[in-house]
Amino acid sequence: MSIKWDDKYKLHISGVDDQHKRLFQLLAESEKLYSNNKGNLINNIPEIKKALLEVEQYTITHFIMEERAMEDTGYPDFESHKAQHLQFIATTQEFLLKLNSDEIMNDEIKLDDFLLRLLTFLSHWITNHIQIKDMEIKPFVKGL
């Protein structure tokens, strides 16, 4: 798992790159909480949930800014890009709702598996999205 910022994610658009770096930091913090508390996740779930909610909220804020930049520059694939953002948000919110279920919250093994799946989803989606979809907007929003 272990998400780390790398220059291959740079769009060379300062505001966007700064926000992407922050997303990586938040995800890395969530992964660290998970790793450091394996075997005792249930007792540390408030802190883990707080970190995951921060990832969700920051991502939503970032998407709003990114979508505004795409609209302002007339990015031709805006609707498709925005649809990916909306799907990500929906999937993340589904995960976070399931995290509150008694079945997961009262079973250390199920909680471990669930958090691993959630963190893997977040890490893979964000890294792939930046490397593919966000790179496509680079020529359009670079001048902002």
Side-chain angles (χ1 to χ4, degrees), residues 39-45 49 98-115:
N40 195 24
L41 294 167
I42 290 174
N43 292 327
N44 292 282
I45 200 63
K49 278 184 181 179
K98 287 179 187 173
L99 182 55
N100 291 317
S101 74
D102 287 341
E103 179 184 348
I104 292 169
M105 290 298 296
N106 296 321
D107 184 318
E108 186 73 25
I109 294 169
K110 287 182 181 178
L111 180 58
D112 185 301
D113 178 63
F114 182 84
L115 288 171

Side-chain angles (χ1 to χ4, degrees), residues 43-57:
N43 292 327
N44 292 282
I45 200 63
E47 189 178 9
I48 294 167
K49 278 184 181 179
K50 182 180 176 199
L52 291 168
L53 287 171
E54 191 172 0
V55 170
E56 177 208 22
Q57 290 304 306

Side-chain angles (χ1 to χ4, degrees), residues 8-54:
K8 69 183 177 186
Y9 301 113
K10 275 189 175 182
L11 298 178
H12 301 284
I13 304 164
S14 64
V16 175
D17 285 339
D18 291 344
Q19 288 182 5
H20 285 164
K21 284 179 189 176
R22 181 68 182 140
L23 277 174
F24 275 72
Q25 286 176 324
L26 292 171
L27 270 171
E29 290 168 15
S30 296
E31 288 178 352
K32 186 176 179 182
L33 279 170
Y34 165 76
S35 297
N36 288 348
N37 292 293
K38 281 184 78 65
N40 195 24
L41 294 167
I42 290 174
N43 292 327
N44 292 282
I45 200 63
E47 189 178 9
I48 294 167
K49 278 184 181 179
K50 182 180 176 199
L52 291 168
L53 287 171
E54 191 172 0

